[in-house]
Amino acid sequence: MALSPYALHAEYFNGHTSRPHTVRLRVTGDRLHVAGPGVALEVPLRDVQWPESTGGSGPEAGSRVAHLKGGGSLHCADGAGWDAWARASGLSEPLVVKLQRSWAWTLSACGVLVAIMAAGYLWGVPLAVQGVLAFTPQALDRSVGEVALQSMVEPMLAPSTLPPAQQQRLYAAFAQAVQQAYPAGERPAYELRFHAARDKRLGPNAFALPGGFVVMTDELVKLVEGDEAVIVGVLAHELGHVRHRHGMHALARGALLTVASSAALGDVSSLMAALPALLGQLGYSRDFERQADEEAVRVLRAAGHSPAVMVSFFEKIGNVRRGAPATDGSPPASGSQASRPDPAAHDAQPESAPPLAFSTHPADAERIRFFQAAARGQ
Amino acid sequence: MTPSASNASGLRSSSRSPYRGPTQVDSSRTQGVVQVMGRTTTGAGDLTPSLRRPNDAYQIPIRFTGRGGAYFRIWIVNLLLTALTLSLYRPWARARTLRYFYSHTRVSSHPLDFHGNPWTMLRGHVLMGLLLLGYALGSDVSPLAGAIGAGTLVVLWPALFRASMQFRMANTSWRGMRFGFVGSLRGAYVYFSVPVLLVVLVGAVAAAVPRPQAPMALLAGGLVLVALVPWFYWLLKRYQHDHYTYAQHKAELRASAGSVYGVFIRTALIALLAAVVAGAVVGGVGAALGATLWALLPNKAPDQAPPVPDGAMVGLIAGVVLLVLLLMGVAQMLVRAYFTAQMQNLVWSRTGSRVFRFKSDMQVGLLMRLMLKNVVLTVLTLGLYYPFAKIELMRMRLESMMLVSRASLDDLVNFRQGRAGDAAGDAAGDLLGADFGL
């Protein structure tokens, strides 16, 4: 039973005037007794909104104000004194307050916070995104893709300069490969387009947008000298992104990260809250690339080509990124005096291309090994 | 305590009294709050406080006793629990933060207090979350959905703003008596739709102008809107400060639109000056750097492609970029410090009633030094200094203010019946528990 061993001196305000009354507080059983000249109250403990302690002593402890249900309030200028009296009287305090009062608990809370945020980013977000996507109809993908394509056409893509006959051949070759690779019910719908890169920084490239828009630049076709096997392979890789809705996944992840981080970190500056979302937008993850590569292998095999054609293509793209003349595989010119610098190759820095673009993902050794192993039939 | 006739007449003669403007209160606006005008009111006999003369009034300092260390602990626990609960803990975090700050704000040795119920605030929090989510997702789906989301927010904003002010004020008390906010819903929509309508009007006019003059029209429209920003700001401050109530007193903002324009114009001039100085410094350094780079180039044939910069040059360029960023940061902080200090001084020094007024005397130089220190330390500690910075800033803002009262503080009486006011609005305040930290 709660019982005050001693009475606490406080001030009582009745809520109608600003004049304080000196009173003494006592707790007996489940009631608070407030007594003083002209004041005599008995209030059930649950009708009191108790103040919370933030620790400290002396003036650092601040003051305490308790609100009574009838509208009055009790003020105590000596916060530490109130805390001691409340503890001695048997009043409990919420767990959170106990946490807030101690440096040891707070600092370990820091560590827990960091661990939780890391876990949420690594596992929580992908799970949530999958959940969101399960509820998103495929028709939405197409409208998102259309909007994205429209926004890219003006700054980055110009009408294709490839001869129409070549475009037709490539359309047909890819359509046939897709038909052979996927049974009738499973065939992903796509819309293949060729564009010239208006912005030199896009260079030889290919990317896929949600809803099935697959875009390949003329520069890439020229880079591989129209080799149908390689083009089919790259297009199949992009089709893999379409089939698995990776674009929508990345979009949902970005939106979710923005919402979650601003909700969780709302107290901190908005820039820090936006950082996780920005970081999360660094394009597809390794898993997505692996999935898309698997689709590329599948389609290439069905069309009768060896997956090894992609290996030589990666090497060509790698040379382009390093700034060498693209037509032969000679090593890039050394030092600062290129004898005949190729302006297109030198400027083909893919960093400003969209994160979904093919060229932003370095063809690292692991991907090359994957295609070589696939070529050997494993 | 008798109402003195000389008091009343002294007030009405605007040449002597610092209080210009109406001393009568339109009772339809205050709806239940009765301003004591030298006559008794219902109930308790003669409760008119005796008022001192304005230049003899009580000067009551405001003290802030908060400490960064204690608030840091609250802040960290708030972050942890808010992240854990995906922001559902936010209302409790806000309530605890407000309670800490208010309970350490002492006016004549009695603290303020916040007693909002976090469960009520949760309702408002969830509502705002849904609205913002709808807007964010809508704009990803299609332009129309985004427009609908944004439109909903814009249409609801004045009501939400008013509800938030009501909630905050009604749940704040000093010496046991609650504050209040008596702005009407109609007033909120009038004050807020003026800017919106003007923007729409300017946009429509610019769109109606024929093609060749379209850019000029847009530019002119933009300039008009920029020129009106101080006026919008003044309207907002008037809506807020004209409707604060405490006990039987209602505040008024006696600053004119012209004085607000003055602050904005002076701030713009300072920004211009800072930009010119920064530009001169950067220009000078840039010219020196350019000369150095040019001297370092191995050969200067014009048809050569620019050489790939090597380490030293990268260092020089990085140094210049850093200097530019630093100068921009300092200039921006100077402008912000100037604006904050001047606006707080203007707005609060002209807020008051017949009995109470505030005085604000923030020094721009001190504020700027504090802001610089806060930013540097926050960056160095990767954000951990933020709670300390917030406490120090609050201390400077509060302790540069003072309350000037013609009545003895023990003599205030609250005539309001419970939480009177616009009933629907109060319900909205309570229903939404909206609190946006405005």
Side-chain angles (χ1 to χ4, degrees):
Chain A
M1 168 173 112
L3 177 68
S4 297
Y6 57 92
L8 180 73
H9 287 267
E11 285 179 320
Y12 170 73
F13 290 92
N14 63 15
H16 300 299
T17 70
S18 61
R19 189 175 289 275
H21 305 264
T22 334
V23 293
R24 289 187 331 272
L25 306 178
R26 263 206 129 87
V27 170
T28 56
D30 63 344
R31 291 180 162 273
L32 171 69
H33 300 265
V34 181
V39 182
L41 291 173
E42 259 188 40
V43 184
L45 288 181
R46 61 184 142 74
D47 282 351
V48 180
Q49 193 178 8
W50 294 100
E52 291 180 352
S53 155
T54 49
S57 59
E60 274 197 29
S63 47
R64 304 277 180 264
V65 177
H67 286 272
L68 310 175
K69 195 163 170 186
S73 53
L74 299 162
H75 290 230
C76 180
D78 175 18
W82 176 289
D83 293 343
W85 172 83
R87 264 197 302 274
S89 306
L91 298 171
S92 63
E93 53 185 10
L95 187 60
V96 178
V97 177
K98 284 203 188 91
L99 204 63
Q100 275 167 197
R101 265 196 297 121
S102 135
W103 274 110
W105 278 110
T106 339
L107 289 177
S108 41
C110 247
V112 173
L113 176 69
V114 171
I116 288 179
M117 287 177 71
Y121 183 77
L122 287 175
W123 296 299
V125 170
L127 270 175
V129 170
Q130 269 169 8
V132 166
L133 276 187
F135 283 102
T136 322
Q138 296 260 6
L140 197 64
D141 292 22
R142 193 156 172 94
S143 34
V144 172
E146 271 171 9
V147 171
L149 189 61
Q150 285 314 307
S151 71
M152 291 180 72
V153 163
E154 194 54 32
M156 295 207 236
L157 303 172
S160 175
T161 53
L162 295 173
Q166 185 180 32
Q167 291 189 35
Q168 280 303 108
R169 271 202 308 277
L170 294 172
Y171 286 142
F174 186 56
Q176 190 179 28
V178 169
Q179 205 174 18
Q180 284 165 339
Y182 299 101
E186 261 184 46
R187 226 163 276 159
Y190 67 91
E191 188 182 308
L192 173 58
R193 301 156 74 116
F194 291 99
H195 281 280
R198 197 191 294 272
D199 188 344
K200 282 288 174 285
R201 289 169 297 182
L202 196 56
N205 228 321
F207 54 88
L209 295 171
F213 298 101
V214 176
V215 175
M216 179 177 276
T217 60
D218 298 348
E219 283 75 4
L220 192 146
V221 176
K222 289 169 190 160
L223 176 70
V224 301
E225 290 149 348
D227 182 349
E228 278 184 17
V230 175
I231 290 178
V232 164
V234 174
L235 289 174
H237 173 101
E238 296 306 325
L239 192 66
H241 285 314
V242 165
R243 190 157 170 261
H244 295 279
R245 299 176 84 191
H246 289 163
M248 290 298 286
H249 207 283
L251 203 66
R253 187 177 60 175
L256 213 69
L257 274 176
T258 315
V259 169
S261 60
S262 50
L265 297 180
D267 203 22
V268 191
S269 83
S270 55
L271 175 65
M272 286 187 68
L275 270 178
L278 290 174
L279 289 173
Q281 279 294 68
L282 288 181
Y284 295 134
S285 67
R286 278 191 134 48
D287 292 332
F288 289 174
E289 290 305 313
R290 166 61 66 103
Q291 278 185 317
D293 285 344
E294 282 165 9
E295 298 294 324
V297 165
R298 174 176 177 172
V299 171
L300 281 172
R301 280 204 184 123
H305 301 297
S306 164
V309 302
M310 298 296 286
V311 176
S312 61
F313 169 68
F314 286 145
E315 281 166 8
K316 285 190 182 147
I317 278 281
N319 289 338
V320 166
R321 281 170 56 94
R322 279 190 295 277
T327 45
D328 55 323
S330 61
S334 59
S336 52
Q337 310 207 36
S339 52
R340 198 182 56 83
D342 176 7
H346 183 76
D347 291 336
Q349 304 304 324
E351 285 82 16
S352 45
L356 318 178
F358 192 89
S359 57
T360 46
H361 314 293
D364 59 2
E366 196 185 318
R367 289 181 75 196
I368 292 179
R369 272 199 302 274
F370 175 76
F371 280 102
Q372 284 170 335
R376 284 195 294 273
Q378 287 150 9
Chain B
M1 291 190 290
T2 53
S4 100
S6 67
N7 256 359
S9 61
L11 278 171
R12 291 205 174 96
S13 93
S14 51
S15 54
R16 279 181 46 209
S17 144
Y19 302 100
R20 291 190 305 281
T23 50
Q24 282 278 7
V25 170
D26 177 9
S27 59
S28 68
R29 282 204 293 162
T30 55
Q31 300 182 31
V33 172
V34 178
Q35 179 143 343
V36 175
M37 283 300 300
R39 61 177 91 257
T40 59
T41 54
T42 56
D46 185 357
L47 289 159
T48 320
S50 68
L51 298 178
R52 287 185 164 191
R53 307 176 79 78
N55 42 10
D56 196 25
Y58 300 98
Q59 314 249 324
I60 298 147
I62 299 180
R63 288 279 165 267
F64 183 69
T65 57
R67 294 245 89 84
Y71 178 54
F72 180 83
R73 296 195 295 266
I74 300 179
W75 180 75
I76 279 286
V77 174
N78 283 349
L79 269 188
L80 168 69
L81 291 175
T82 308
L84 260 181
T85 58
L86 288 185
S87 95
L88 286 177
Y89 182 75
R90 203 78 213 283
W92 282 264
R94 285 204 64 80
R96 292 200 156 108
T97 306
L98 281 171
R99 242 183 275 154
Y100 182 80
F101 276 86
Y102 280 24
S103 69
H104 283 272
T105 306
R106 290 188 197 229
V107 181
S108 99
S109 82
H110 281 102
L112 296 176
D113 188 42
F114 179 74
H115 38 84
N117 182 354
W119 287 105
T120 319
M121 289 161 77
L122 183 63
R123 281 200 287 255
H125 181 67
V126 168
L127 171 72
M128 275 308 288
L130 288 174
L131 280 176
L132 288 173
L133 200 69
Y135 168 61
L137 290 180
S139 50
D140 275 343
V141 165
S142 79
L144 179 65
I148 292 179
T152 318
L153 268 180
V154 167
V155 163
L156 285 180
W157 183 249
L160 291 175
F161 180 80
R162 174 174 174 262
S164 134
M165 298 289 325
Q166 276 186 316
F167 184 80
R168 176 76 80 94
M169 298 307 284
N171 283 296
T172 306
S173 62
W174 181 60
R175 288 185 167 227
M177 293 200 287
R178 293 175 183 232
F179 291 87
F181 184 77
V182 292
S184 67
L185 191 61
R186 216 189 94 231
Y189 273 98
V190 165
Y191 279 119
F192 282 100
S193 41
V194 168
V196 170
L197 286 176
L198 269 174
V199 169
V200 167
L201 185 69
V202 167
V205 166
V209 158
R211 263 324 283 210
Q213 282 103 26
M216 285 306 298
L218 267 174
L219 184 66
L223 283 176
V224 165
L225 285 177
V226 164
L228 286 176
V229 162
W231 188 58
F232 298 157
Y233 190 87
W234 177 70
L235 285 179
L236 171 68
K237 284 300 158 194
R238 272 202 57 186
Y239 183 67
Q240 284 184 306
H241 287 234
D242 269 358
H243 299 116
Y244 291 146
T245 63
Y246 180 72
Q248 72 274 48
H249 304 277
K250 189 186 86 70
E252 261 188 313
L253 179 66
R254 294 189 179 92
S256 63
S259 46
V260 173
Y261 266 95
V263 173
F264 271 88
I265 290 175
R266 287 198 300 274
T267 309
L269 286 176
I270 296 236
L272 198 63
L273 185 69
V276 163
V277 169
V281 170
V282 169
V285 172
L289 179 68
T292 322
L293 272 179
W294 188 245
L296 285 176
L297 277 183
N299 69 54
K300 304 178 181 99
D303 58 344
Q304 292 285 338
V308 175
D310 68 290
M313 276 181 258
V314 170
L316 274 173
I317 294 175
V320 169
V321 168
L322 210 64
L323 179 67
V324 170
L325 286 176
L326 211 68
L327 278 176
M328 276 172 54
V330 169
Q332 183 232 38
M333 218 171 301
L334 171 67
V335 170
R336 263 193 323 152
Y338 183 81
F339 182 78
T340 310
Q342 291 272 305
M343 196 51 90
Q344 171 172 318
N345 288 351
L346 172 71
V347 163
W348 282 101
S349 292
R350 309 268 185 100
T351 297
S353 70
R354 197 175 135 251
V355 179
F356 291 117
R357 54 178 287 222
F358 290 94
K359 267 200 216 170
S360 171
D361 187 25
M362 214 148 84
Q363 307 285 330
V364 176
L366 288 177
L367 179 62
M368 187 174 159
R369 242 173 286 165
L370 180 66
M371 282 170 85
L372 258 172
K373 172 178 155 204
N374 285 348
V375 165
V376 166
L377 285 174
T378 308
V379 167
L380 283 179
T381 58
L382 301 178
L384 288 177
Y385 187 73
Y386 175 76
F388 296 85
K390 197 166 159 186
I391 290 265
E392 289 308 313
L393 190 63
M394 188 58 69
R395 192 191 319 278
M396 175 169 286
R397 294 188 73 156
L398 283 173
E399 293 194 349
S400 50
M401 295 214 339
M402 179 165 42
L403 177 66
V404 177
S405 170
R406 295 178 60 200
S408 160
L409 291 178
D410 288 340
D411 289 342
L412 306 174
V413 184
N414 189 2
F415 286 120
R416 305 173 81 210
Q417 310 300 322
R419 289 205 296 282
D422 178 14
D426 246 12
D430 246 8
L431 172 71
L432 298 181
D435 179 50
F436 308 129
L438 294 159

